[in-house]
Amino acid sequence: MEFVVENVGRRDEVWADGIGDNSLNGYERNVLLHNRGNGRFVDVGYLTGSNRIEDGRAVAVADFDHDGQLDLLLQNFESEVVLLMGKDTPGHWLQVELEGVASNRDAVGAVVIIENEYGRQSRHVTRGNAFLACSSPVLHFGLGEATAVNRIEVRWPSGSVQSLHDVAADQRLEIREQAASDARASLTEH
Amino acid sequence: MISIARLSRLAALALSGLLLAALPGCSQNWKQARVELIDPVQALLHKKYPQALASCNPQQVTMLFAQGAASPDVLELIDRFASIDDARAVIDDADMAERRVVAHVTLEIEGILHDGEHLYVRQPRKMVAVRSDAGWRIESDTGGPIEEARAPGPHFEDQAAARGLAFKHKTRWFTDPSGTSRRYVLGSGVAVADVDGNGWEDVILVNADRIELFTNSDGRFTKVSSQWGLGSPVEGARTSPVLSDFDNDGRPDLFVAAEFGQPLFYRNTGTAFELAEAGLLTQGMTVAACTADFNGDGFLDLYLGNHEEPHHKAPQPQGYARNAKPDQLFLNLGNGTFRDATKESGIDNPGWSLTCAVADYDNDGDADIFIGNDFGGDSMYENNGNARFREVTKAVGLNTPVASMSSDWGDFDGDGDFDLFVGGMSSRADWAIDHPSYPSPVPWIVEALFRERVRKQIRGFFHGNRLYENLGGGSFREISTETDTVNSGWAWSSVWLDFDNDGLLDIYSANGMISGPLKDDV
């Protein structure tokens, strides 16, 4: 958002992009709001080394090196791109890559629900949410201590629903859309 | 009787009232309050106090106190640190008298402990500032419950250069109607997908006048823009890129929106991006772009959120600006071209769109659209499944009168429906409008009758981020305050992700407008 701001130093009107040597909400740090699981979040930007000070704009998420840890690609205003590579979390994970057949091939709009003894999680495939950013279409689930997922349900945009059972953690799954009548899913393990 | 809608619109005027230094007609009282009370208290509590704490030097803290003795508990707090990297104190609200301000302040400290661990501490404090002959000093300072988080060391490390991702964003300049050169400040975007089909996610990085492609192999990047037909100068100020498979051939195609120009559409041949005529004639000034199959025909359509240039046109009405270029919906005809279906879709959003986010929020199997508008008033459209939409913003409770920058859907509470996080600005100065002489933008009679409501509405614009919990059944509840997700600054892109693999969705938010050589804000 850009608008007229006050200039405390010179007491005249200036525009956001005509501020000369001054700053406008400059040197602000990015935040990482950690979900504490009790309905509250806490900023762990500093603790995780992700509290970058550049003038942030776009953020895209992907696991660029396939190590099961999500990475952050930051496109900043008039500065270098930043690639924050994640490392060393103890938790297990599962990644799901979808290929639509009756649905659009990217499976945008598909919802994937996983269930294990710790509960349920859902993710969906989107392209272009957030601001100026289009993250990886691969869905990433953190699993904590769980080494397997009891059930995976894919709700395709075409309306068909597919299920997989007893899937091991720590892998990237490719799931291709089957005809609605076919209950078995094709499954490729990496 | 003045209607509530009119009241809120009038209250919205106060946004600029607060931000303009010398609004014509400002009372002398307000100017005096700024100089004698608000600015010095802000300097004392927001700046000198955290700076003194960050020095870890009790002497420096003590100097700020009227009685020559700092609060023992805050000295104990800083004594825990071997070094402090950053300390921040923000006034949340204040009771103001001429020579005495009672403020509720949120204190945050980040540093390294004596045992080497990293610590983040947050604490509400009640602080009383008094004015003496020597200027403003702290009279008392009482700490509330401390919240803290620790970590042995950083989880993230910047490896852009080491992995071959060398790119520096450069913006474009333009001349406004008064002949002044200005920078285009919104920035340019990034898109991720496996473009070359080798199984690794590649990266499109956009500059105002250029589009670059970096392919990924084994986590290492190589710049291949020219080999792929990109990297030459393009017209316009480029904004959002989208990588998506629009022709269902298994290869992500590339769409890049622009302000001051038309979008570019490139078909992916497997080894190159070929510029194609796709019938995507826009209103220009496009910032946001997202894809989904809105009409369920198996092909991905495009929603474009259009903005305006505020130097050419002032956002009107203030607080609920609806005079930008209208958004557009393009349906994919499946033959490589698109058709502008905005009119028949029922979407009518001339808001200053900065973000769009698609989700099936009501679990009825189709793609609904949220649009975050700059300068006030979001829009939510429900899809009937055939790309015919109905605006439901107010009906579902997403009609908060705020300015929005970014939005993302995520089921953060694991109940099977998608919740919405909307990034917005939070102000560190909104407490000042509680001063009795604050020049209210509404007529004195309205101010006299509805003061509390007017002030609440004005402060709403600076509320910051919003977290909307999806209650199921097509309604939302705003829970940013109780979840501690309100304040992050001048928030831009914000995304859901589970960075620590604990099964819970976290939020990352990029902040900061313009950092100049002078660190103080204008």
Side-chain angles (χ1 to χ4, degrees):
Chain A
M1 179 170 180
E2 12 172 2
F3 49 63
V4 183
V5 293
E6 94 181 273
N7 184 325
V8 174
R10 286 180 294 146
R11 300 262 162 201
D12 57 2
E13 290 177 28
V14 290
W15 281 88
D17 51 353
I19 57 175
D21 285 348
N22 281 311
S23 299
L24 171 61
N25 282 62
Y27 303 96
E28 284 189 350
R29 292 195 175 271
N30 296 351
V31 297
L32 177 54
L33 301 174
H34 177 236
N35 186 341
R36 297 161 67 190
N38 62 355
R40 300 187 70 182
F41 291 73
V42 63
D43 177 17
V44 295
Y46 169 76
L47 295 178
T48 55
S50 61
N51 61 338
R52 300 294 299 199
I53 202 164
E54 293 89 351
D55 295 326
R57 291 295 185 271
V59 179
V61 184
D63 176 10
F64 287 110
D65 58 351
H66 294 192
D67 67 347
Q69 318 282 326
L70 285 177
D71 312 311
L72 290 161
L73 179 61
L74 313 182
Q75 157 80 295
N76 300 306
F77 183 73
E78 300 233 295
S79 62
E80 308 282 339
V81 72
V82 170
L83 177 62
L84 293 176
M85 300 299 291
K87 56 176 184 191
D88 304 336
T89 58
H92 296 281
W93 52 275
L94 179 71
Q95 292 172 353
V96 178
E97 194 171 0
L98 300 178
E99 184 186 327
V101 176
S103 306
N104 68 86
R105 181 113 174 209
D106 278 352
V108 176
V111 177
V112 175
I113 299 160
I114 66 162
E115 283 174 11
N116 60 19
E117 63 269 37
Y118 298 97
R120 267 163 74 105
Q121 296 187 54
S122 51
R123 302 273 190 277
H124 60 166
V125 182
T126 63
R127 306 302 288 149
N129 288 5
F131 176 71
L132 301 180
C134 192
S135 292
S136 171
V138 179
L139 302 177
H140 178 99
F141 295 86
L143 300 177
E145 291 170 13
T147 54
V149 171
N150 299 349
R151 182 167 176 271
I152 301 177
E153 181 179 300
V154 185
R155 297 181 186 167
W156 297 92
S158 66
S160 71
V161 177
Q162 245 169 284
S163 303
L164 302 175
H165 294 272
D166 302 322
V167 175
D170 305 321
Q171 60 165 328
R172 186 177 279 208
L173 279 183
E174 285 174 16
I175 303 177
R176 191 163 191 267
E177 184 177 10
Q178 300 279 304
S181 56
D182 190 343
R184 277 193 65 240
S186 89
L187 189 155
T188 321
E189 293 192 12
H190 272 219
Chain B
M1 183 62 194
I2 283 178
S3 73
I4 298 299
R6 170 130 178 91
L7 179 68
S8 65
R9 216 167 74 228
L10 288 167
L13 292 169
L15 179 72
S16 44
L18 176 62
L19 292 166
L20 285 169
L23 197 69
C26 262
S27 70
Q28 188 55 40
N29 275 349
W30 170 244
K31 282 187 192 167
Q32 197 180 336
R34 284 290 311 270
V35 173
E36 293 181 3
L37 188 154
I38 287 160
D39 290 350
V41 169
Q42 184 107 354
L44 176 69
L45 300 185
H46 279 193
K47 203 168 176 182
K48 292 178 195 163
Y49 180 65
Q51 276 174 0
L53 296 179
S55 74
C56 281
N57 181 347
Q59 290 306 110
Q60 288 201 28
V61 185
T62 300
M63 275 168 54
L64 304 175
F65 280 76
Q67 321 298 339
S71 184
D73 75 309
V74 84
L75 294 180
E76 271 170 40
L77 181 61
I78 61 172
D79 195 41
R80 293 173 63 191
F81 289 91
S83 65
I84 291 177
D85 285 319
D86 196 18
R88 298 179 293 276
V90 173
I91 301 170
D92 296 318
D93 59 71
D95 282 330
M96 286 171 269
E98 207 179 315
R99 308 179 73 84
R100 187 180 169 84
V101 171
V102 182
H104 291 96
V105 174
T106 301
L107 176 67
E108 293 174 289
I109 303 179
E110 295 163 342
I112 298 168
L113 296 171
H114 295 288
D115 66 6
E117 271 209 318
H118 291 60
L119 178 67
Y120 165 82
V121 173
R122 178 173 57 193
Q123 187 188 31
R125 298 191 73 88
K126 185 181 171 186
M127 303 185 73
V128 180
V130 289
R131 187 176 160 201
S132 67
D133 295 340
W136 284 87
R137 292 283 187 277
I138 299 166
E139 184 185 73
S140 70
D141 172 23
T142 325
I146 289 181
E147 279 187 293
E148 56 181 68
R150 299 158 169 258
H155 167 77
F156 288 106
E157 188 186 8
D158 178 19
Q159 297 179 357
R163 289 179 181 268
L165 218 50
F167 177 92
K168 188 175 183 194
H169 175 258
K170 218 169 158 267
T171 194
R172 203 160 208 163
W173 291 72
F174 66 96
T175 307
D176 76 7
S178 75
T180 310
S181 283
R182 300 190 181 280
R183 269 189 297 180
Y184 162 81
V185 297
L186 288 179
S188 309
V190 57
V192 176
D194 180 12
V195 163
D196 57 6
N198 72 344
W200 297 83
E201 285 108 319
D202 310 309
V203 170
I204 289 282
L205 279 161
V206 176
N207 245 329
D209 66 349
R210 223 170 278 257
I211 302 158
E212 308 283 5
L213 171 64
F214 293 81
T215 49
N216 177 2
S217 176
D218 208 16
R220 308 263 150 196
F221 294 92
T222 311
K223 185 172 170 178
V224 294
S225 315
S226 56
Q227 294 93 310
W228 276 70
L230 300 173
S232 324
V234 292
E235 52 125 43
R238 294 289 137 189
T239 52
S240 283
V242 175
L243 280 170
S244 234
D245 185 0
F246 291 100
D247 51 8
N248 291 336
D249 67 352
R251 305 176 187 125
D253 309 299
L254 174 63
F255 169 88
V256 186
E259 288 209 304
F260 308 110
Q262 287 298 323
L264 296 169
F265 187 85
Y266 298 90
R267 196 161 293 126
N268 184 342
T269 66
T271 53
F273 279 119
E274 260 178 25
L275 197 58
E277 273 300 326
L280 293 160
L281 188 66
T282 71
Q283 306 265 5
M285 313 307 289
T286 304
V287 178
C290 45
T291 68
D293 180 7
F294 293 110
N295 60 358
D297 67 353
F299 286 94
L300 288 173
D301 312 305
L302 261 170
Y303 187 87
L304 303 184
N306 297 324
H307 203 248
E308 248 305 343
E309 172 41 54
H311 296 98
H312 291 133
K313 193 182 208 177
Q316 293 292 343
Q318 292 201 47
Y320 190 75
R322 283 296 182 274
N323 62 335
K325 300 275 192 300
D327 291 353
Q328 290 171 282
L329 176 70
F330 285 94
L331 293 179
N332 187 339
L333 300 176
N335 61 1
T337 65
F338 294 80
R339 179 173 69 82
D340 186 344
T342 313
K343 204 164 181 186
E344 73 206 49
S345 73
I347 288 176
D348 176 23
N349 182 40
W352 293 55
S353 313
L354 282 184
T355 174
C356 51
V358 172
D360 180 12
Y361 83 98
D362 52 359
N363 281 324
D364 66 352
D366 54 36
D368 310 302
I369 310 172
F370 173 85
I371 303 124
N373 293 312
D374 205 353
F375 303 108
D378 296 328
S379 306
M380 179 76 219
Y381 286 98
E382 192 214 345
N383 192 345
N384 78 348
N386 194 28
R388 302 293 165 111
F389 294 84
R390 170 172 81 95
E391 186 175 357
V392 294
T393 319
K394 197 173 174 188
V396 300
L398 294 175
N399 57 326
T400 319
V402 286
S404 300
M405 319 278 282
S406 178
S407 54
D408 197 17
W409 297 91
D411 179 17
F412 86 98
D413 52 7
D415 65 354
D417 50 36
F418 288 95
D419 309 292
L420 177 66
F421 184 77
V422 184
M425 297 166 309
S426 59
S427 166
R428 296 181 165 209
D430 63 348
W431 62 280
I433 70 167
D434 287 337
H435 193 273
S437 74
Y438 175 74
S440 176
V442 299
W444 70 268
I445 181 74
V446 180
E447 169 74 8
L449 290 171
F450 302 108
R451 186 175 189 277
E452 283 308 306
R453 190 185 285 179
V454 171
R455 301 294 160 108
K456 197 177 159 199
Q457 197 115 44
I458 299 168
R459 288 187 77 156
F461 292 113
F462 302 99
H463 178 73
N465 305 321
R466 276 141 285 139
L467 175 54
Y468 293 103
E469 180 191 1
N470 191 336
L471 301 173
S475 70
F476 293 85
R477 187 165 66 107
E478 211 270 299
I479 54 167
S480 57
T481 304
E482 52 265 50
T483 51
D484 287 329
T485 51
V486 175
N487 289 302
S488 62
W490 195 293
W492 297 95
S493 211
S494 25
V495 290
W496 291 104
L497 78 158
D498 181 4
F499 81 95
D500 58 349
N501 286 335
D502 66 351
L504 297 166
L505 281 174
D506 315 295
I507 299 162
Y508 189 78
S509 172
N511 297 323
M513 179 58 171
I514 303 271
S515 299
L518 300 177
K519 291 207 166 184
D520 282 346
D521 280 350
V522 290

